[in-house]
């Protein structure tokens, strides 16, 4: 066992006097919505108090390691602007921040608990799976009552053992959660969980307590699936004589009333949502409100505003249901609030999925789309007519509200073609001017002229943008070619 000085040195490194929170993902290869929400709340609690936000990678489950999985975590955190102050990549006062690099220290701490009677070595033959789960029949473990001397002798003789937490059979343990309040459990319902496995490696349940303490974590924010472990964690903190952090257990994000969101059931991860055309800021705003309420009606908050107002008291005990329609609504709000340049940049890849013609400027199309786009992936299907004129029926020229009939449509196309032909410049002003002149000459409603031109130019009834913009973007030559085709259909 290490000298006292080694433990003291670790204690001395722990930063004090500030709020310190940590996001502690296991690298699974994707960031599901519940994880992102935990990261966000953890970040907001730290930022709201001017504290530190720490990233710790919990990769102790070596069997489940996935190539590139930590990259997904870094990328998502960076894209979402959840910058961490300490972490594997940026370092910090209590490094290392990757559990697999901290392995050697856990056993030392477990031995400390054996020394002070809060844990014991168990030499019984156990299956690997029993060690992993820590689920032994607690009552009849003979090693629980071994004397310290006997235990030391057998360990020194090289007999393999696991280290189990010694939980009193009597009494109760109470822990306090910021959201759920005080929870008391009978100690006899708690099992002597394994802290250190036969190979000297810690279980997750032990490693997280040691890490949270040695990293000076003041608020442990995690999913409510950890609620049932909290009493055992408290007994560990007490066994060490360490301060117990504030617990903030968050209820799950559900896909419906009965099921948690899950990758296996096809529920989207953060990256899926982005690929599906949602904006990061909209996702963050929506996720913030999944189980937390600022009070009041207002829903749209920037990350900076969230930092300002976030309060643990607003976190709900009830599970939150992920509602993609609601996210769509948030997304539409965020799209409308972008500057035209920002929107053009975000929309360009989606515009280019449909519009390959290099002569067409995606930014010109973006202008038509911004006010009517809810999700970026809606864009391509709206633009299919730019590259090639779709097959369409002459019936489209008939539109009662616009007072367009086959006869008026034919007459409009016949007359506008030479007028367009004469235009020396092709811009909105000139195109509109030609249309206005024709409207006046025919003595009809404006829509009588606009309707058939737009239909002939686009070949479909619903288009982003009106006749003028579509003609301008198509260019003079292509517009006239399409208008001729329309005229043929009407003849
Ligand atoms: N690595 C754990 C997980 O991803 C973290 C739990 C915790 O925050 O303590 O579920």
């Amino acid at each position: 066992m290490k000298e006292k000085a080694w433990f003291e040195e670790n204690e001395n490194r722990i930063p004090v006097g500030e709020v310190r929170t940590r996001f502690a993902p296991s690298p699974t290869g994707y960031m599901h919505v519940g994880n992102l929400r935990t990261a966000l709340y953890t970040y907001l609690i730290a930022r709201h108090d001017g504290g530190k936000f720490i990233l710790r990678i919990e990769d102790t489950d070596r069997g489940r390691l996935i190539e590139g999985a930590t990259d997904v975590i870094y990328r998502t955190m960076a894209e979402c602007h959840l910058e961490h102050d300490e972490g594997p990549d940026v370092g910090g006062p209590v490094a290392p921040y990757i559990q697999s690099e901290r392995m050697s220290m856990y056993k030392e701490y477990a031995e400390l608990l054996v020394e002070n009677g809060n844990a014991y070595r168990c030499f019984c033959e156990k299956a690997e799976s029993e060690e992993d789960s820590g689920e032994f029949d607690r009552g009849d473990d003979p090693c629980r009552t071994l004397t310290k001397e006997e235990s030391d002798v057998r360990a020194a003789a090289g007999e393999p053992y696991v280290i189990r937490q010694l939980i009193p059979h009597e009494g109760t343990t109470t822990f306090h959660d910021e959201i759920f309040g005080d929870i008391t459990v009978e100690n006899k319902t708690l099992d002597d969980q394994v802290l250190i496995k036969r190979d000297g490696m810690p279980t997750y349940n032990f490693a997280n307590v040691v890490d949270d303490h040695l990293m000076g974590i003041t608020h442990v924010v995690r999913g409510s699936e950890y609620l049932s472990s909290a009493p055992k964690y408290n007994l560990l903190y007490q066994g060490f004589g360490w301060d117990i952090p504030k617990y903030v257990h968050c209820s799950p994000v559900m896909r419906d009333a009965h099921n948690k969101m899950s990758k296996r059931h096809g529920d989207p991860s953060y990256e899926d949502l982005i690929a599906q055309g949602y904006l990061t800021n909209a996702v963050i705003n929506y996720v913030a409100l999944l189980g937390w309420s600022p009070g009041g009606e207002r829903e749209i908050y920037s990350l900076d505003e969230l930092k300002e107002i976030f309060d643990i008291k607003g976190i709900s005990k009830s599970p939150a249901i992920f509602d993609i329609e609601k996210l769509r609504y948030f997304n539409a709000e965020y799209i409308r609030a972008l500057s035209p340049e920002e929107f053009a940049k975000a929309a360009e890849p989606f515009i280019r999925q449909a519009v390959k013609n290099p002569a067409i400027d995606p930014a010109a199309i973006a202008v038509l789309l911004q006010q009517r786009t809810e999700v970026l992936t809606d864009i391509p299907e709206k633009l299919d007519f730019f590259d090639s004129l779709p097959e369409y029926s002459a019936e489209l020229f008939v539109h009662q509200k616009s007072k367009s009939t086959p006869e008026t449509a034919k007459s409009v196309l016949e007359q506008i073609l030479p007028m367009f032909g004469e235009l020396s410049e092709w811009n909105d002003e000139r195109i509109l001017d030609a249309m206005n002149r024709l409207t006046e000459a025919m003595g009809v409603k404006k829509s009588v002229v606009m309707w058939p031109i737009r239909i002939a130019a686009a070949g479909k009834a619903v288009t982003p943008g009106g006749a003028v913009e579509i003609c301008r973007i198509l260019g003079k030559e292509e517009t006239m070619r399409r208008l001729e085709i329309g005229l043929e259909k009407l003849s």
Side-chain angles (χ1 to χ4, degrees):
M1 211 178 126
K2 294 274 193 212
E3 297 293 310
K4 206 163 165 242
W6 181 82
F7 293 100
E8 277 170 6
E9 208 177 295
N10 288 340
E11 291 297 314
N12 292 337
R13 286 167 70 202
I14 301 173
V16 289
E18 59 187 12
V19 165
R20 291 173 61 82
T21 67
R22 89 298 192 276
F23 175 50
S26 304
T28 57
Y30 57 91
M31 184 84 120
H32 60 71
V33 171
N35 266 156
L36 179 61
R37 190 192 56 174
T38 302
L40 177 62
Y41 290 0
T42 309
Y43 171 84
L44 292 174
I45 290 169
R47 287 290 173 266
H48 182 75
D49 267 308
K52 295 278 171 18
F53 175 57
I54 294 144
L55 176 64
R56 178 169 81 222
I57 301 292
E58 302 207 320
D59 59 346
T60 42
D61 195 349
R62 309 303 291 174
R64 284 174 41 206
L65 276 201
I66 295 172
E67 195 68 31
T70 45
D71 297 340
V72 174
I73 295 167
Y74 288 124
R75 196 164 59 229
T76 306
M77 308 278 288
E79 269 180 39
C80 295
H81 303 292
L82 305 180
E83 311 91 12
H84 47 280
D85 305 294
E86 299 168 26
D89 52 343
V90 292
V94 289
Y97 293 88
I98 300 187
Q99 258 177 357
S100 59
E101 292 174 14
R102 304 171 64 79
M103 284 305 183
S104 59
M105 60 199 310
Y106 303 112
K107 175 118 190 270
E108 306 298 334
Y109 279 91
E111 295 287 356
L112 202 58
L113 285 184
V114 172
E115 277 303 308
N116 68 22
N118 287 290
Y120 60 94
R121 300 189 190 93
C122 166
F123 299 93
C124 300
E125 196 55 49
K126 296 270 164 22
E128 182 76 22
S129 62
E130 285 176 317
E131 284 183 28
D132 279 346
S133 65
E135 282 164 16
F136 305 155
D137 223 344
R138 69 192 300 278
D140 56 12
D141 187 342
C143 303
R144 208 179 134 98
T145 51
L146 286 182
T147 63
K148 183 71 182 36
E149 292 66 37
E150 200 178 334
S151 169
D152 286 348
V153 168
R154 288 174 70 173
E159 225 184 294
Y161 61 87
V162 303
I163 297 181
R164 297 181 70 178
Q165 184 173 357
L166 191 122
I167 293 181
H169 285 169
E170 301 76 34
T172 59
T173 297
T174 299
F175 73 97
H176 181 76
D177 180 85
E178 297 298 306
I179 297 158
F180 291 86
D182 282 342
I183 297 183
T184 301
V185 299
E186 300 267 350
N187 287 339
K188 63 174 177 281
T189 64
L190 306 173
D191 63 303
D192 286 357
Q193 63 179 344
V194 173
L195 307 178
I196 298 290
K197 297 187 266 179
R198 210 169 296 255
D199 61 5
M201 293 297 135
T203 55
Y204 170 74
N205 280 338
F206 186 56
N208 88 85
V209 168
V210 174
D211 287 345
D212 284 340
H213 172 72
L214 293 180
M215 293 182 175
I217 303 304
T218 57
H219 298 65
V220 170
V221 186
R222 53 162 66 114
S224 57
E225 66 272 23
Y226 289 94
L227 267 176
S228 60
S229 301
K232 288 185 272 189
Y233 297 159
N234 265 18
L235 290 170
L236 286 173
Y237 283 105
Q238 283 164 12
F240 282 117
W242 292 341
D243 287 342
I244 293 168
K246 284 189 158 60
Y247 292 113
V248 182
H249 286 93
C250 303
S251 288
V253 180
M254 312 285 285
R255 64 196 314 246
D256 54 42
H258 304 290
N259 301 291
K260 273 198 195 189
M261 276 185 94
S262 89
K263 183 85 182 158
R264 226 171 335 128
H265 291 110
D267 293 320
S269 66
Y270 167 77
E271 296 211 319
D272 293 335
L273 290 173
I274 299 310
Q276 287 167 21
Y278 294 91
L279 302 179
T280 297
N281 291 345
V283 173
I284 287 289
N285 190 159
Y286 175 64
V287 164
L289 300 181
L290 264 180
W292 172 77
S293 165
E297 296 290 292
R298 188 177 154 193
E299 292 182 310
I300 303 295
Y301 292 97
S302 69
L303 188 58
D304 280 337
E305 289 168 329
L306 289 172
K307 285 185 221 173
E308 198 67 32
I309 62 168
F310 193 81
D311 183 349
I312 295 172
K313 290 195 189 77
I315 299 178
S316 168
K317 268 187 218 175
S318 341
I321 296 186
F322 179 80
D323 177 359
I324 195 89
E325 285 308 318
K326 186 85 200 214
L327 175 57
R328 248 187 116 82
Y329 156 80
F330 274 84
N331 208 55
E333 294 284 317
Y334 273 83
I335 285 181
R336 279 196 281 279
L338 292 176
S339 71
E341 296 72 29
E342 287 168 333
F343 177 72
K345 190 160 168 263
E348 178 162 352
F350 296 90
I351 294 173
R352 276 294 176 225
Q353 280 174 25
V355 183
K356 312 263 189 231
N357 180 351
I360 292 180
D361 174 15
I365 294 182
V367 175
L368 310 183
L369 293 168
Q370 186 165 2
Q371 295 309 315
R372 44 193 119 198
T373 300
E374 292 186 336
V375 178
L376 298 173
T377 37
D378 290 349
I379 291 176
E381 61 166 22
K382 293 184 178 160
L383 303 177
D384 51 359
F385 64 90
F386 276 107
D387 273 7
S388 64
L389 183 65
E391 270 307 320
Y392 70 99
S393 142
E395 313 232 315
L396 280 192
F397 285 110
V398 182
H399 193 246
Q400 238 175 9
K401 202 166 153 243
S402 307
K403 297 211 175 318
S404 178
T405 66
E407 293 72 33
T408 60
K410 179 159 182 264
S411 159
V412 166
L413 295 184
E414 265 167 0
Q415 295 181 70
I416 201 74
L417 271 163
M419 293 172 80
F420 277 176
E422 274 167 19
L423 293 183
S424 54
E425 278 178 71
W426 191 254
N427 55 35
D428 285 4
E429 209 186 343
R430 293 302 174 91
I431 297 167
L432 182 61
D433 177 61
M435 293 181 186
N436 284 342
R437 278 185 284 126
L438 180 58
T439 307
E440 216 160 290
M442 289 177 72
V444 292
K445 265 178 69 175
K446 214 167 163 173
S447 61
V448 174
V449 170
M450 296 289 194
W451 183 269
I453 295 176
R454 190 175 61 86
I455 294 298
K460 62 194 282 193
V462 181
T463 57
V468 175
E469 293 98 335
I470 292 172
C471 292
R472 186 235 314 145
I473 292 171
L474 285 172
K476 180 172 166 179
E477 205 180 312
E478 178 63 11
T479 299
M480 293 187 61
R481 189 183 75 79
R482 293 185 179 197
L483 266 45
E484 297 276 8
I485 295 172
L487 194 52
E488 268 167 42
K489 282 189 195 282
L490 288 162
S491 300

